[in-house]
Amino acid sequence: MQKLKGIKILIIDDEPNILEFLAMGLLNEGFEVQTAPDGMAGITLAKQFHPHIIILDIMMPGMDGFEVCRMLKKLEQVSIIMLTAKDEVEDRVKGLRTGADDYMAKPFSFEELLARIYARVRNQFPHLLEEVAVGPLRMDDRRKEILFHEKALELSPTEYELLKFLILNQGLVLSKSMILDKVWGYDFVGDDNIVEVYIRSLREKLGDKEHRLIRTLRGAGYRMDLL
């Protein structure tokens, strides 16, 4: 369970059914939600509402999502998840370069969007969570301690950072290259098989013999399933 402290989400999309569907779902999850039907209205509302997370459609008439994202990043300390009807690498790269923090292609499941929202909150606004406790794991980053079924795990510094990264992004597929960049650093020059070695060690310490907690997705990476 993750206890929330007034996390605000702004949805900017020109499709009324999308706005209504997402707003209802996120309100039911306990978030504070506001919606805007276009880019200019979204920018104006962001200045007043001060959201933590913005769900931003790319394909909108007038000011598109790329320009809205660029302007919002200048105005607000916010995490932006961009939505598009096209799952194209070019759009994804352009969105990330304009300041987006994550990217989803329509159609998408509400459950995946929710997982990505929680990942953004845990990574960028951890102070908004009274605790980070997911499934049988509870993490106290101030003490650099992770408990499994309320028992502290004996972890090396690298094991701690790897398990922390998996917990903060639970439910999402993480490639080896992504894990190497975030845990070992962009300047790491060793073999990427080191990720497999550390994953194996974590599984042993978690008693995860059947790989139900840390799943391997062949050709894609790893995903932590805790819920």
Side-chain angles (χ1 to χ4, degrees), residues 24-94:
M24 288 181 62
L26 294 172
L27 284 168
N28 287 336
E29 291 292 327
F31 298 105
E32 295 181 31
V33 181
Q34 294 285 341
T35 63
D38 58 63
M40 285 305 300
I43 291 170
T44 300
L45 187 54
K47 293 177 183 178
Q48 303 167 354
F49 185 49
H50 302 294
H52 302 101
I53 307 288
I54 294 179
I55 300 170
L56 173 62
D57 187 35
I58 291 178
M59 305 297 290
M60 294 187 292
M63 185 183 297
D64 67 20
F66 298 122
E67 184 61 26
V68 176
C69 180
R70 194 176 292 113
M71 294 185 67
L72 286 171
K73 279 295 185 176
K74 293 178 181 178
L75 297 172
E76 299 283 336
Q77 183 181 0
V78 65
S79 184
I80 296 177
I81 301 174
M82 298 196 83
L83 306 178
T84 183
K86 300 184 297 181
D87 188 11
E88 294 183 2
V89 173
E90 188 175 318
D91 277 354
R92 188 178 307 177
V93 171
K94 185 176 180 180

Coordinates of all heavy atoms in Angstrom, one line a residue, residues 24-94:
M24 N -12.4 10.0 -14.0 CA -13.2 9.1 -13.1 C -12.3 8.1 -12.5 O -12.3 7.8 -11.3 CB -14.3 8.5 -13.9 CG -15.5 9.4 -14.2 SD -16.8 8.6 -15.1 CE -17.3 7.4 -13.8
G25 N -11.4 7.4 -13.3 CA -10.6 6.4 -12.8 C -9.6 6.9 -11.8 O -9.4 6.3 -10.7
L26 N -9.0 8.1 -12.1 CA -7.9 8.6 -11.2 C -8.6 9.2 -9.9 O -8.0 9.1 -8.8 CB -7.1 9.7 -11.9 CG -6.3 9.1 -13.0 CD1 -5.6 10.3 -13.8 CD2 -5.2 8.2 -12.5
L27 N -9.8 9.8 -10.0 CA -10.4 10.2 -8.8 C -10.8 9.1 -7.9 O -10.6 9.2 -6.6 CB -11.7 11.0 -9.2 CG -11.6 12.4 -9.7 CD1 -12.9 12.9 -10.3 CD2 -11.1 13.4 -8.6
N28 N -11.2 8.0 -8.4 CA -11.5 6.8 -7.6 C -10.2 6.2 -7.0 O -10.3 5.5 -5.9 CB -12.1 5.7 -8.5 CG -13.5 6.0 -8.9 OD1 -14.2 6.7 -8.2 ND2 -14.0 5.4 -10.0
E29 N -9.0 6.5 -7.5 CA -7.8 6.1 -6.9 C -7.3 7.0 -5.8 O -6.3 6.8 -5.1 CB -6.7 6.0 -8.0 CG -6.9 4.8 -9.0 CD -6.8 3.5 -8.3 OE1 -5.9 3.3 -7.4 OE2 -7.5 2.5 -8.8
G30 N -8.0 8.1 -5.6 CA -7.6 9.0 -4.5 C -6.8 10.3 -4.9 O -6.4 11.0 -4.1
F31 N -6.6 10.5 -6.2 CA -5.9 11.6 -6.7 C -6.8 12.9 -6.8 O -8.0 12.7 -7.0 CB -5.3 11.4 -8.1 CG -4.3 10.2 -8.1 CD1 -4.6 9.0 -8.7 CD2 -3.0 10.4 -7.6 CE1 -3.7 8.0 -8.7 CE2 -2.1 9.3 -7.7 CZ -2.5 8.1 -8.2
E32 N -6.2 14.0 -6.7 CA -6.9 15.3 -7.1 C -6.7 15.5 -8.6 O -5.6 15.5 -9.1 CB -6.3 16.5 -6.3 CG -6.5 16.4 -4.8 CD -5.9 17.6 -4.1 OE1 -5.9 18.7 -4.7 OE2 -5.4 17.5 -3.0
V33 N -7.8 15.7 -9.3 CA -7.8 15.7 -10.8 C -8.4 16.9 -11.3 O -9.5 17.3 -10.9 CB -8.4 14.4 -11.3 CG1 -8.4 14.4 -12.9 CG2 -7.8 13.1 -10.8
Q34 N -7.8 17.5 -12.3 CA -8.3 18.6 -13.1 C -8.1 18.2 -14.6 O -7.2 17.5 -15.0 CB -7.7 19.9 -12.9 CG -7.9 20.4 -11.5 CD -9.3 21.0 -11.3 OE1 -10.0 21.3 -12.3 NE2 -9.8 21.1 -10.1
T35 N -9.0 18.7 -15.5 CA -8.9 18.4 -16.9 C -8.9 19.7 -17.8 O -9.5 20.7 -17.3 CB -10.1 17.5 -17.4 OG1 -11.3 18.2 -17.2 CG2 -10.1 16.2 -16.6
A36 N -8.3 19.6 -18.9 CA -8.3 20.7 -19.9 C -8.4 20.1 -21.3 O -7.8 19.1 -21.6 CB -7.0 21.5 -19.8
P37 N -9.3 20.8 -22.2 CA -9.5 20.2 -23.5 C -8.5 20.6 -24.6 O -8.6 20.2 -25.7 CB -10.9 20.8 -23.8 CG -10.9 22.2 -23.1 CD -10.1 22.0 -21.9
D38 N -7.6 21.5 -24.3 CA -6.6 21.9 -25.3 C -5.3 22.5 -24.6 O -5.3 22.6 -23.3 CB -7.1 23.0 -26.2 CG -7.6 24.2 -25.5 OD1 -6.8 24.9 -24.9 OD2 -8.8 24.5 -25.6
G39 N -4.3 22.7 -25.4 CA -3.0 23.1 -24.8 C -3.0 24.4 -24.0 O -2.5 24.5 -22.9
M40 N -3.6 25.5 -24.6 CA -3.6 26.8 -23.9 C -4.4 26.7 -22.6 O -4.0 27.2 -21.6 CB -4.3 27.8 -24.8 CG -3.4 28.3 -25.9 SD -1.7 28.9 -25.3 CE -2.3 30.2 -24.3
A41 N -5.6 26.0 -22.6 CA -6.3 25.8 -21.4 C -5.5 25.0 -20.3 O -5.6 25.3 -19.1 CB -7.7 25.1 -21.7
G42 N -4.8 24.1 -20.8 CA -3.9 23.2 -19.9 C -2.8 24.0 -19.3 O -2.6 23.9 -18.1
I43 N -2.2 24.9 -20.0 CA -1.1 25.8 -19.5 C -1.7 26.7 -18.5 O -1.1 26.9 -17.4 CB -0.4 26.5 -20.6 CG1 0.4 25.5 -21.5 CG2 0.5 27.6 -20.1 CD1 0.9 26.2 -22.8
T44 N -2.8 27.3 -18.8 CA -3.5 28.3 -17.8 C -3.8 27.5 -16.5 O -3.6 28.0 -15.4 CB -4.7 28.9 -18.5 OG1 -4.4 29.6 -19.6 CG2 -5.4 29.8 -17.5
L45 N -4.4 26.3 -16.7 CA -4.9 25.6 -15.5 C -3.7 25.1 -14.7 O -3.7 25.1 -13.4 CB -5.7 24.4 -15.9 CG -6.4 23.6 -14.8 CD1 -7.2 24.5 -13.9 CD2 -7.3 22.5 -15.4
A46 N -2.6 24.7 -15.4 CA -1.4 24.3 -14.6 C -0.8 25.4 -13.7 O -0.3 25.1 -12.6 CB -0.3 23.8 -15.6
K47 N -0.9 26.6 -14.2 CA -0.4 27.7 -13.4 C -1.2 27.9 -12.1 O -0.7 28.4 -11.1 CB -0.4 29.0 -14.2 CG 0.5 29.1 -15.4 CD 0.3 30.4 -16.1 CE 1.2 30.4 -17.4 NZ 1.0 31.7 -18.2
Q48 N -2.5 27.5 -12.1 CA -3.4 27.7 -11.0 C -3.4 26.5 -10.1 O -3.4 26.6 -8.9 CB -4.8 28.0 -11.5 CG -4.9 29.2 -12.4 CD -6.2 29.3 -13.1 OE1 -7.1 28.4 -13.0 NE2 -6.5 30.4 -13.8
F49 N -3.4 25.3 -10.7 CA -3.5 24.0 -10.0 C -2.2 23.4 -9.5 O -2.2 22.7 -8.5 CB -4.2 23.0 -11.0 CG -4.6 21.7 -10.5 CD1 -5.3 21.6 -9.3 CD2 -4.2 20.5 -11.1 CE1 -5.6 20.3 -8.8 CE2 -4.5 19.3 -10.6 CZ -5.3 19.2 -9.4
H50 N -1.1 23.8 -10.1 CA 0.2 23.3 -9.7 C 0.2 21.7 -9.6 O 0.5 21.2 -8.5 CB 0.7 23.9 -8.4 CG 0.7 25.4 -8.5 ND1 1.6 26.1 -9.3 CD2 0.0 26.4 -7.9 CE1 1.5 27.4 -9.2 NE2 0.5 27.6 -8.3
P51 N 0.0 21.0 -10.7 CA -0.1 19.5 -10.6 C 1.3 18.9 -10.4 O 2.3 19.5 -10.8 CB -0.7 19.2 -12.0 CG -0.2 20.2 -12.9 CD -0.2 21.5 -12.1
H52 N 1.3 17.7 -9.9 CA 2.6 16.9 -9.8 C 2.8 16.1 -11.1 O 3.9 16.0 -11.5 CB 2.5 16.0 -8.6 CG 2.3 16.7 -7.3 ND1 1.1 16.8 -6.7 CD2 3.1 17.4 -6.5 CE1 1.2 17.5 -5.6 NE2 2.4 17.9 -5.4
I53 N 1.7 15.6 -11.6 CA 1.7 14.8 -12.8 C 0.8 15.4 -13.9 O -0.3 15.8 -13.5 CB 1.2 13.3 -12.5 CG1 2.0 12.7 -11.4 CG2 1.3 12.5 -13.8 CD1 3.4 12.3 -11.7
I54 N 1.3 15.5 -15.1 CA 0.4 15.9 -16.2 C 0.4 14.8 -17.3 O 1.4 14.3 -17.7 CB 0.9 17.2 -16.9 CG1 0.8 18.4 -15.9 CG2 0.1 17.5 -18.2 CD1 1.3 19.7 -16.5
I55 N -0.9 14.4 -17.6 CA -1.1 13.4 -18.7 C -1.4 14.2 -19.9 O -2.5 14.9 -20.0 CB -2.2 12.4 -18.3 CG1 -1.8 11.6 -17.1 CG2 -2.4 11.4 -19.5 CD1 -2.9 10.8 -16.5
L56 N -0.6 14.2 -20.9 CA -0.6 15.2 -22.0 C -0.7 14.5 -23.4 O 0.2 13.7 -23.8 CB 0.6 16.1 -22.0 CG 0.8 17.0 -23.1 CD1 -0.3 18.1 -23.2 CD2 2.2 17.8 -23.0
D57 N -1.8 14.7 -24.1 CA -2.0 14.2 -25.5 C -1.1 15.0 -26.4 O -1.0 16.2 -26.3 CB -3.4 14.3 -25.9 CG -3.7 13.6 -27.2 OD1 -3.1 12.6 -27.5 OD2 -4.6 14.1 -28.0
I58 N -0.5 14.3 -27.4 CA 0.3 14.9 -28.4 C -0.5 15.5 -29.5 O -0.4 16.7 -29.9 CB 1.4 14.0 -29.0 CG1 2.4 13.6 -28.0 CG2 2.1 14.6 -30.2 CD1 3.4 12.6 -28.4
M59 N -1.4 14.7 -30.1 CA -2.2 15.2 -31.3 C -3.4 16.0 -30.9 O -4.5 15.5 -30.7 CB -2.6 13.9 -32.1 CG -1.5 13.0 -32.4 SD -0.3 13.8 -33.6 CE -1.2 13.9 -35.0
M60 N -3.2 17.3 -30.8 CA -4.3 18.2 -30.4 C -4.3 19.4 -31.4 O -3.2 19.8 -31.9 CB -4.1 18.8 -29.0 CG -4.2 17.8 -27.9 SD -4.2 18.5 -26.2 CE -2.6 19.1 -26.2
P61 N -5.5 19.9 -31.7 CA -5.5 21.0 -32.7 C -4.9 22.3 -32.0 O -4.9 22.4 -30.8 CB -7.0 21.2 -32.9 CG -7.7 20.6 -31.7 CD -6.8 19.5 -31.3
G62 N -4.4 23.2 -32.9 CA -3.8 24.4 -32.4 C -2.4 24.1 -31.8 O -1.5 23.6 -32.6
M63 N -2.2 24.3 -30.6 CA -0.9 24.0 -30.0 C -0.8 22.5 -29.7 O -1.5 21.9 -28.9 CB -0.7 24.8 -28.7 CG 0.7 24.6 -28.0 SD 0.8 25.5 -26.4 CE 0.5 27.2 -27.0
D64 N 0.2 21.8 -30.3 CA 0.3 20.4 -30.1 C 1.0 20.1 -28.7 O 1.5 21.0 -28.1 CB 1.0 19.7 -31.2 CG 2.5 20.0 -31.4 OD1 3.1 20.5 -30.4 OD2 3.1 19.8 -32.5
G65 N 1.0 18.8 -28.4 CA 1.5 18.4 -27.1 C 3.0 18.6 -26.9 O 3.5 18.9 -25.8
F66 N 3.8 18.6 -28.0 CA 5.2 18.9 -27.9 C 5.5 20.3 -27.4 O 6.3 20.6 -26.5 CB 5.9 18.7 -29.2 CG 5.8 17.3 -29.8 CD1 5.3 17.0 -31.0 CD2 6.3 16.2 -29.0 CE1 5.2 15.7 -31.5 CE2 6.3 14.9 -29.5 CZ 5.7 14.7 -30.7
E67 N 4.8 21.3 -28.0 CA 4.9 22.7 -27.6 C 4.4 22.9 -26.2 O 5.0 23.7 -25.4 CB 4.2 23.6 -28.6 CG 4.4 25.1 -28.3 CD 5.8 25.5 -28.4 OE1 6.6 24.9 -29.1 OE2 6.2 26.5 -27.7
V68 N 3.3 22.3 -25.9 CA 2.7 22.4 -24.5 C 3.7 21.9 -23.5 O 3.9 22.5 -22.4 CB 1.4 21.6 -24.4 CG1 0.9 21.7 -22.9 CG2 0.3 22.2 -25.3
C69 N 4.3 20.7 -23.8 CA 5.3 20.1 -22.9 C 6.5 21.1 -22.7 O 6.9 21.3 -21.6 CB 5.8 18.8 -23.5 SG 7.0 17.9 -22.5
R70 N 6.9 21.6 -23.8 CA 8.1 22.5 -23.7 C 7.8 23.7 -22.8 O 8.6 24.1 -22.0 CB 8.5 23.0 -25.1 CG 9.8 23.7 -25.2 CD 10.1 24.0 -26.7 NE 10.3 22.8 -27.5 CZ 9.5 22.4 -28.4 NH1 8.4 23.1 -28.7 NH2 9.8 21.3 -29.1
M71 N 6.6 24.3 -22.9 CA 6.2 25.5 -22.1 C 6.0 25.1 -20.7 O 6.4 25.8 -19.8 CB 5.0 26.1 -22.7 CG 5.2 26.7 -24.1 SD 3.8 27.6 -24.7 CE 3.7 29.0 -23.6
L72 N 5.3 23.9 -20.4 CA 5.1 23.5 -19.1 C 6.3 23.2 -18.3 O 6.4 23.5 -17.1 CB 4.2 22.3 -19.1 CG 2.7 22.5 -19.4 CD1 2.0 21.2 -19.6 CD2 2.0 23.3 -18.4
K73 N 7.3 22.7 -18.9 CA 8.6 22.4 -18.3 C 9.3 23.7 -17.8 O 10.1 23.6 -16.9 CB 9.5 21.5 -19.2 CG 9.1 20.1 -19.1 CD 9.4 19.4 -17.8 CE 9.1 17.9 -17.8 NZ 9.5 17.3 -16.5
K74 N 9.0 24.8 -18.5 CA 9.6 26.1 -18.1 C 8.9 26.7 -16.9 O 9.5 27.4 -16.1 CB 9.6 27.0 -19.3 CG 10.5 26.7 -20.5 CD 10.3 27.7 -21.6 CE 11.2 27.3 -22.8 NZ 11.0 28.3 -23.9
L75 N 7.6 26.3 -16.8 CA 6.8 27.0 -15.8 C 6.7 26.2 -14.5 O 6.6 26.8 -13.4 CB 5.3 27.1 -16.3 CG 5.2 28.1 -17.6 CD1 3.7 28.0 -18.1 CD2 5.5 29.5 -17.2
E76 N 6.7 24.9 -14.6 CA 6.3 24.0 -13.4 C 7.3 22.9 -13.2 O 8.0 22.4 -14.1 CB 4.9 23.4 -13.7 CG 3.8 24.3 -13.8 CD 3.3 24.9 -12.5 OE1 3.6 24.3 -11.5 OE2 2.8 26.0 -12.5
Q77 N 7.5 22.6 -11.9 CA 8.3 21.4 -11.6 C 7.3 20.2 -11.6 O 6.5 20.0 -10.6 CB 8.9 21.5 -10.2 CG 9.8 20.3 -9.9 CD 10.4 20.4 -8.5 OE1 10.2 21.4 -7.8 NE2 11.1 19.4 -8.1
V78 N 7.2 19.5 -12.7 CA 6.1 18.6 -13.0 C 6.6 17.4 -13.7 O 7.6 17.5 -14.5 CB 5.0 19.3 -13.7 CG1 5.4 19.7 -15.1 CG2 3.7 18.4 -13.8
S79 N 6.0 16.2 -13.6 CA 6.3 15.1 -14.3 C 5.2 14.9 -15.4 O 4.1 14.9 -15.1 CB 6.3 13.8 -13.4 OG 6.8 12.7 -14.2
I80 N 5.7 14.7 -16.7 CA 4.7 14.7 -17.8 C 4.8 13.3 -18.5 O 5.8 12.8 -18.9 CB 5.1 15.8 -18.8 CG1 4.9 17.2 -18.2 CG2 4.2 15.6 -20.1 CD1 5.3 18.3 -19.1
I81 N 3.6 12.7 -18.6 CA 3.4 11.5 -19.3 C 2.7 11.8 -20.6 O 1.5 12.3 -20.6 CB 2.6 10.4 -18.5 CG1 3.3 10.1 -17.2 CG2 2.4 9.2 -19.3 CD1 2.5 9.2 -16.3
M82 N 3.3 11.6 -21.8 CA 2.7 12.0 -23.0 C 1.9 10.8 -23.6 O 2.3 9.7 -23.5 CB 3.8 12.5 -24.0 CG 4.5 13.7 -23.5 SD 5.5 14.5 -24.8 CE 4.2 15.5 -25.6
L83 N 0.8 11.1 -24.3 CA 0.0 10.2 -24.9 C -0.1 10.5 -26.4 O -0.2 11.6 -26.8 CB -1.5 10.2 -24.4 CG -1.7 10.1 -22.9 CD1 -3.2 10.2 -22.6 CD2 -1.1 8.7 -22.4
T84 N -0.1 9.4 -27.3 CA -0.3 9.6 -28.7 C -1.0 8.4 -29.3 O -0.9 7.3 -28.7 CB 1.1 9.8 -29.4 OG1 0.9 10.0 -30.8 CG2 2.0 8.6 -29.2
A85 N -1.6 8.7 -30.4 CA -2.3 7.6 -31.1 C -1.4 6.8 -32.0 O -1.7 5.7 -32.5 CB -3.4 8.1 -32.0
K86 N -0.1 7.3 -32.1 CA 0.9 6.6 -32.9 C 2.0 6.1 -32.0 O 2.6 6.9 -31.3 CB 1.4 7.5 -34.0 CG 0.4 8.0 -34.9 CD 1.0 8.9 -36.0 CE 1.7 10.1 -35.5 NZ 2.3 10.9 -36.5
D87 N 2.4 4.8 -32.1 CA 3.5 4.3 -31.3 C 4.7 4.3 -32.2 O 5.2 3.3 -32.7 CB 3.2 2.9 -30.9 CG 4.3 2.3 -29.9 OD1 5.1 3.2 -29.5 OD2 4.3 1.1 -29.7
E88 N 5.2 5.6 -32.5 CA 6.4 5.7 -33.4 C 7.6 6.2 -32.6 O 7.5 7.1 -31.7 CB 6.0 6.7 -34.5 CG 5.0 6.2 -35.4 CD 4.7 7.2 -36.6 OE1 5.4 8.2 -36.6 OE2 3.8 6.9 -37.4
V89 N 8.7 5.6 -32.9 CA 10.0 6.0 -32.2 C 10.3 7.5 -32.3 O 10.7 8.1 -31.4 CB 11.2 5.2 -32.7 CG1 12.5 5.6 -32.1 CG2 10.9 3.7 -32.4
E90 N 10.0 8.0 -33.5 CA 10.3 9.5 -33.8 C 9.5 10.4 -32.8 O 10.1 11.3 -32.2 CB 10.0 9.8 -35.2 CG 10.4 11.2 -35.6 CD 10.2 11.4 -37.1 OE1 10.4 10.5 -37.9 OE2 9.7 12.5 -37.4
D91 N 8.2 10.1 -32.7 CA 7.4 10.8 -31.7 C 7.9 10.7 -30.3 O 7.9 11.6 -29.5 CB 5.9 10.4 -31.8 CG 5.2 11.1 -33.0 OD1 5.8 12.0 -33.6 OD2 4.0 10.7 -33.2
R92 N 8.3 9.5 -29.9 CA 8.7 9.2 -28.6 C 10.0 10.0 -28.3 O 10.1 10.6 -27.2 CB 9.0 7.7 -28.4 CG 9.3 7.2 -27.0 CD 9.4 5.7 -26.9 NE 8.3 5.0 -27.6 CZ 8.2 3.7 -27.7 NH1 9.2 3.0 -27.3 NH2 7.2 3.2 -28.2
V93 N 10.9 9.9 -29.2 CA 12.2 10.6 -29.0 C 11.9 12.1 -28.9 O 12.5 12.8 -28.1 CB 13.2 10.3 -30.1 CG1 14.4 11.2 -30.1 CG2 13.6 8.9 -30.1
K94 N 11.1 12.7 -29.8 CA 10.8 14.1 -29.8 C 10.2 14.5 -28.5 O 10.5 15.5 -27.9 CB 9.9 14.4 -31.0 CG 9.6 15.9 -31.1 CD 8.8 16.2 -32.4 CE 8.5 17.7 -32.5 NZ 7.7 18.0 -33.7

